[in-house]
């Protein structure tokens, strides 16, 4: 924790997403990563170098927001991070929720007031996601996680499993950082292709 590090004279910076562990938050947004980037640029005195990159990401977020404006049907998405017995997923305050919402979807576990909680397979079945977002890191690989989900008999009737609708995110895309925006854009193309025609 920052308090523990401070005992040893080590200053620390807590990413905005992780601030839920020290103060209440209402929601997450793609802008959270930009706030962290600005703060880190100030801490390391590289604001001039970071400014064009941050400005470009702001423009990308704005363009995506305009494309998604007025979306009525928000496909349900299950974020599968890890573990087989009890799935680790993203809750309401995890960056994947911001990515999914920006892409015009809805996280099936957005009612869990945390960032990276454990869900349960019963709710995955009951909430019937149309898409499953796989966080690709560690073991098994993303394909290994997909193979596990496809082989799990209880999930056979879940829409995303029947339709083989998976979206793979790298760890860098799923956690706060500059790659969140590109992940949201890629997911939006899958959830709402009609908004990108022409």
């Amino acid at each position: 924790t920052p308090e523990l590090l401070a005992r040893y004279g080590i200053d620390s910076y807590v990413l905005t997403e992780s601030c839920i562990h020290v103060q209440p938050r209402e929601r997450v947004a793609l802008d959270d990563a930009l706030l962290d980037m600005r703060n880190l640029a100030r801490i390391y005195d590289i604001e001039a170098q970071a400014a064009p990159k941050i400005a470009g990401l702001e423009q990308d977020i704005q363009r995506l927001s305009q494309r998604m404006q007025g979306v009525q049907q928000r496909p349900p998405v299950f974020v599968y991070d890890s573990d087989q017995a009890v799935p680790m997923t993203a809750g309401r305050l995890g960056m994947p929720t911001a990515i999914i919402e920006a892409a015009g979807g809805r996280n099936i576990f957005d009612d869990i007031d945390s960032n990276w909680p454990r869900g349960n397979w019963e709710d995955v079945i009951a909430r019937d996601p149309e898409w499953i977002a796989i966080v690709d890191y560690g073991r098994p690989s993303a394909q290994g996680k997909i193979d596990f989900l496809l082989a799990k008999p209880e999930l056979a009737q879940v829409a995303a499993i029947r339709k083989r609708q998976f979206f793979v995110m790298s760890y860098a895309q799923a956690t706060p950082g500059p790659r969140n925006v590109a992940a949201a854009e890629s997911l939006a193309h899958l959830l709402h292709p009609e908004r990108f025609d022409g």
Side-chain angles (χ1 to χ4, degrees):
T1 64
E3 292 77 17
L4 180 60
L5 292 170
R7 288 186 214 162
Y8 297 95
I10 302 170
D11 293 332
S12 60
Y13 177 81
V14 179
L15 293 175
T16 304
E17 183 199 56
S18 298
C19 284
I20 67 161
H21 300 292
V22 293
Q23 64 186 24
R25 293 201 64 202
E26 287 301 313
R27 61 185 298 273
V28 290
L30 294 181
D31 291 337
D32 292 350
L34 303 190
L35 173 63
D36 290 327
M37 290 172 67
R38 287 190 194 92
N39 289 339
L40 289 168
R42 188 164 51 253
I43 290 168
Y44 290 104
D45 195 23
I46 55 168
E47 290 174 277
Q49 297 96 309
K53 176 70 172 176
I54 295 171
L57 290 170
E58 284 178 320
Q59 291 172 357
D60 292 342
I61 291 172
Q62 184 63 30
R63 274 195 295 271
L64 180 59
S65 177
Q66 289 170 352
R67 280 192 184 271
M68 294 296 106
Q69 192 168 9
V71 165
Q72 297 297 316
Q73 299 296 321
R74 292 185 166 268
V77 180
F78 164 51
V79 178
Y80 182 45
D81 178 79
S82 58
D83 292 345
Q84 296 184 352
V86 180
M88 180 75 74
T89 188
R92 182 170 65 87
L93 300 173
M95 185 52 71
T97 297
I99 292 169
I100 292 166
E101 290 178 351
R106 180 183 56 79
N107 179 359
I108 66 166
F109 284 115
D110 64 1
D111 59 335
I112 300 179
D113 196 24
S114 184
N115 52 358
W116 293 96
R118 294 192 179 279
N120 63 73
W121 295 118
E122 293 79 9
D123 279 340
V124 173
I125 295 164
R127 298 176 187 196
D128 196 23
E130 293 179 27
W131 286 86
I132 297 176
I134 305 287
V135 182
D136 185 14
Y137 79 101
R139 293 286 180 265
S141 65
Q143 188 57 54
K145 292 176 183 180
I146 291 171
D147 292 342
F148 163 72
L149 294 171
L150 291 174
K152 195 170 176 60
E154 309 95 287
L155 301 180
Q157 294 309 309
V158 169
I161 298 294
R162 286 188 290 103
K163 298 175 184 178
R164 305 294 198 267
Q165 295 190 149
F166 299 98
F167 172 69
V168 176
M169 289 188 288
S170 69
Y171 183 81
Q173 290 175 315
T175 55
R179 295 180 185 172
N180 300 151
V181 181
E185 290 172 337
S186 297
L187 181 57
H189 275 82
L190 295 176
L191 300 185
H192 298 284
E194 74 284 354
R195 295 199 168 231
F196 295 87
D197 292 341

